[in-house]
Amino acid sequence: MVSRVIPVEPFDLVVFGGTGDLARRKLLPALYRRMLAGQAQPGSRIVAVGRRVLDADGYRRMAEASLKEHAGPGALDPDRAAAFLDMLDYVHVDAEGEGGWASLADRLEGSERMRIFYLSVVPHLFGPISERVARSGCRTPDTRLVVEKPLGRDLQSAQVLNRRLATLFEERQIYRIDHYLGKETVQNLMALRFANALFEPIWNARHVDHVQITVAERVGVGGRGAYYDENGALRDMMQNHLLQLLCLIAMEPPAHFEPDALRDEKLKVLRSLKPLEGLGDVVRGQYLGINGEAGYLEDAENPRSRTESFVAIKAEIANWRWNGAPFYLRTGKRLRTRMSEIAVVFKDAPHSIFPESTGSTGPNVLAIRLQPDEGITLRLTIKEPGPGGMRLCEVPLDMTFAETLGADGLSMPDAYERLVMDVIRGDQTLFMRGDEVEAAWRWIDPIIAAAETAPERPQPYDSYSSGPEDALMLMHRDGRRWRALTA
Ligand code: BG6
């Protein structure tokens, strides 16, 4: 299947933190791949801004190395890479001082193109940079501002940030990235739910037993231990990625596929989450070292750290649709495999007409795999083929996107490719609104407060395991179990 690519208007994209990790690993390769796909036009301009003193050629050399490393196998066509590198410019700016702002304004002066400021920087710079963008004359009425998590570290700081940005930009100009919303399968979840009549009648607690959302990673936090130790899995993953996924599963159908209609529905879900008191429905863990690989406490460079590298939560949504069908959420580092999945586990058949000798089977499960091998499977029970009489077995109805749609690397864009193009198109559907971010903190804050004051430390778990024992118990005590962590 060949995807249709509609070129976007030429743009000026200013990337603060242009020499940083996110820009080099994700943004530049994403923009380059969109140029290869014919969506970003060579007439556009990418102005990297950073603390380092570099000229445009120095920056282009750095960018070329990033493309070689991260643009994907076979993507580096020398002519087209040269055309892309020509789009790049570099300005040295002091984000918290006055230096360089006049040169940046000069560089942008006279351009009629749409202007985007992408703040790929540490969060305490969001305010100072946005203010200087406004003051230095760089802001036009159509300017868009892109920020990425962490958007605050609790409700109060998120409110302060939102208020500060609101004095400088209108909400329609602010794009808050949660890169999970840019993942192919996440959007497919909306298509699955709202473009098929099949699911809606059974998409509720009468038919769904529970939902499991898992974001498991094999990597530890080595290399970014200091950042991570300040945040932990609750702030780093749960407040944003996992709650956003929960919203998309749980929300009511919006009237239109339109940014605010969708975001209103997600907000209602966040506001319907039952507040958790204490840690009775929360399990926290820290990975242990293995075969010379450091454990969490060494990676975090803090032997007394109480920060969690794993968290599992039983969440409940207090509304008519979901009352009685819990959402079990888990995420962690150094787990058995890298796997992100949403599983909607349906109730058992109300009565089995088959004798026990036919074999027992489990419930229907709709599993939406975000990574790896994006796709959707539906577990069904069928008769085992052959003449051996009636014997039941489980089979997956499997739709792995790469196989079903013949998707190759370019037609299955990475989350950042899609999100950056959406900013340019002015489509906020896949971006979080300020009130959503605040509602998520409002629910998470008491959990973090309880964790920070709890006498117990996070439970140690073996590296490359399924996480702490207590996480298994969180399900077992309800007569349920987690799906296996398999690649
Ligand atoms: C980031 C977190 O937001 O998401 C990281 O800060 C995490 O800790 C990453 O590793 C996971 O993203 P992905 O797309 O690799 O699943």
Side-chain angles (χ1 to χ4, degrees), residues 264-382:
D264 288 346
E265 295 305 337
K266 286 199 286 161
L267 181 63
K268 281 190 219 158
V269 174
L270 291 166
R271 288 184 173 161
S272 311
L273 280 168
K274 245 193 217 169
L276 293 188
E277 277 164 28
L279 294 175
D281 287 329
V282 180
V283 176
R284 296 170 309 127
Q286 272 180 351
Y287 60 83
L288 295 165
I290 188 169
N291 300 336
E293 276 187 85
Y296 179 77
L297 295 177
E298 294 149 85
D299 277 346
E301 294 166 29
N302 174 5
R304 284 200 299 278
S305 171
R306 298 165 60 89
T307 303
E308 70 290 336
S309 60
F310 174 100
V311 66
I313 299 183
K314 176 183 175 184
E316 288 175 276
I317 301 174
N319 65 16
W320 279 34
R321 187 187 283 270
W322 292 113
N323 191 36
F327 281 60
Y328 296 89
L329 316 173
R330 66 176 161 168
T331 181
K333 307 279 184 199
R334 241 351 141 66
L335 293 176
R336 174 160 310 172
T337 186
R338 175 171 184 255
M339 179 191 98
S340 300
E341 180 195 79
I342 302 168
V344 180
V345 181
F346 290 92
K347 292 199 165 155
D348 284 325
H351 161 71
S352 172
I353 64 165
F354 301 103
E356 267 182 32
S357 56
T358 54
S360 65
T361 55
N364 297 128
V365 179
L366 179 71
I368 298 136
R369 239 175 311 125
L370 272 57
Q371 55 199 26
D373 302 329
E374 295 108 324
I376 296 172
T377 59
L378 178 61
R379 186 168 76 188
L380 296 175
T381 299
I382 60 161

Side-chain angles (χ1 to χ4, degrees), residues 102-352:
S103 339
L104 179 61
D106 276 355
R107 223 57 79 87
L108 298 171
E109 176 75 39
S111 163
E112 299 285 304
R113 288 178 286 231
M114 169 223 314
R115 206 168 277 188
I116 299 144
F117 291 91
Y118 195 124
L119 309 195
S120 170
V121 293
V122 287
H124 78 262
L125 293 179
F126 291 166
I129 293 180
S130 316
E131 268 155 27
R132 284 167 177 77
V133 165
R135 255 198 283 130
S136 61
C138 291
R139 182 184 55 182
T140 59
D142 192 27
T143 287
R144 290 159 203 183
L145 183 80
V146 184
V147 288
E148 189 156 1
K149 67 166 262 271
L151 300 167
R153 50 179 289 107
D154 52 20
L155 174 60
Q156 203 214 345
S157 51
Q159 285 171 329
V160 169
L161 175 65
N162 278 340
R163 280 202 289 267
R164 196 163 179 193
L165 295 183
T167 60
L168 303 162
F169 294 92
E170 290 174 32
E171 183 63 33
R172 66 169 177 87
Q173 296 178 287
I174 305 173
Y175 290 74
R176 296 177 189 80
I177 289 193
D178 180 315
H179 79 278
Y180 265 60
L181 295 180
K183 291 186 189 272
E184 184 66 25
T185 325
V186 173
Q187 292 158 80
N188 239 306
L189 177 56
M190 290 187 270
L192 187 78
R193 283 197 60 196
F194 304 130
N196 295 287
L198 185 65
F199 296 109
E200 177 53 23
I202 53 171
W203 206 258
N204 54 54
R206 274 195 306 288
H207 299 280
V208 172
D209 180 71
H210 70 279
V211 176
Q212 301 185 15
I213 302 180
T214 299
V215 178
E217 296 181 271
R218 258 183 89 78
V219 290
V221 303
R224 64 199 280 260
Y227 156 81
Y228 190 89
D229 203 46
E230 287 284 300
N231 291 282
L234 280 162
R235 287 192 173 93
D236 185 50
M237 301 292 287
M238 192 59 82
Q239 187 271 347
N240 36 79
H241 305 325
L242 278 94
L243 285 187
Q244 285 292 322
L245 298 179
L246 173 142
C247 285
L248 295 176
I249 288 283
M251 71 184 184
E252 296 301 313
H256 309 281
F257 189 61
E258 186 263 303
D260 277 329
L262 206 92
R263 300 191 295 178
D264 288 346
E265 295 305 337
K266 286 199 286 161
L267 181 63
K268 281 190 219 158
V269 174
L270 291 166
R271 288 184 173 161
S272 311
L273 280 168
K274 245 193 217 169
L276 293 188
E277 277 164 28
L279 294 175
D281 287 329
V282 180
V283 176
R284 296 170 309 127
Q286 272 180 351
Y287 60 83
L288 295 165
I290 188 169
N291 300 336
E293 276 187 85
Y296 179 77
L297 295 177
E298 294 149 85
D299 277 346
E301 294 166 29
N302 174 5
R304 284 200 299 278
S305 171
R306 298 165 60 89
T307 303
E308 70 290 336
S309 60
F310 174 100
V311 66
I313 299 183
K314 176 183 175 184
E316 288 175 276
I317 301 174
N319 65 16
W320 279 34
R321 187 187 283 270
W322 292 113
N323 191 36
F327 281 60
Y328 296 89
L329 316 173
R330 66 176 161 168
T331 181
K333 307 279 184 199
R334 241 351 141 66
L335 293 176
R336 174 160 310 172
T337 186
R338 175 171 184 255
M339 179 191 98
S340 300
E341 180 195 79
I342 302 168
V344 180
V345 181
F346 290 92
K347 292 199 165 155
D348 284 325
H351 161 71
S352 172

Side-chain angles (χ1 to χ4, degrees), residues 409-481:
L410 282 181
S411 56
M412 191 81 99
D414 166 79
Y416 280 91
E417 291 178 54
R418 181 185 326 275
L419 293 173
V420 175
M421 290 300 114
D422 279 357
V423 177
I424 295 164
R425 279 189 289 249
D427 182 348
Q428 286 185 308
T429 310
L430 299 177
F431 297 82
M432 294 178 296
R433 209 167 53 193
D435 49 6
E436 276 181 78
V437 175
E438 291 180 17
W441 281 120
R442 193 168 278 115
W443 187 72
I444 286 279
D445 268 2
I447 304 175
I448 295 177
E452 285 175 352
T453 52
E456 320 82 52
R457 301 180 48 77
Q459 199 182 32
Y461 61 94
D462 289 333
S463 280
Y464 310 117
S465 69
S466 301
E469 278 293 306
D470 284 359
L472 305 181
M473 290 313 297
L474 187 72
M475 291 284 255
H476 284 179
R477 68 178 196 201
D478 293 345
R480 300 175 171 122
R481 56 194 164 96

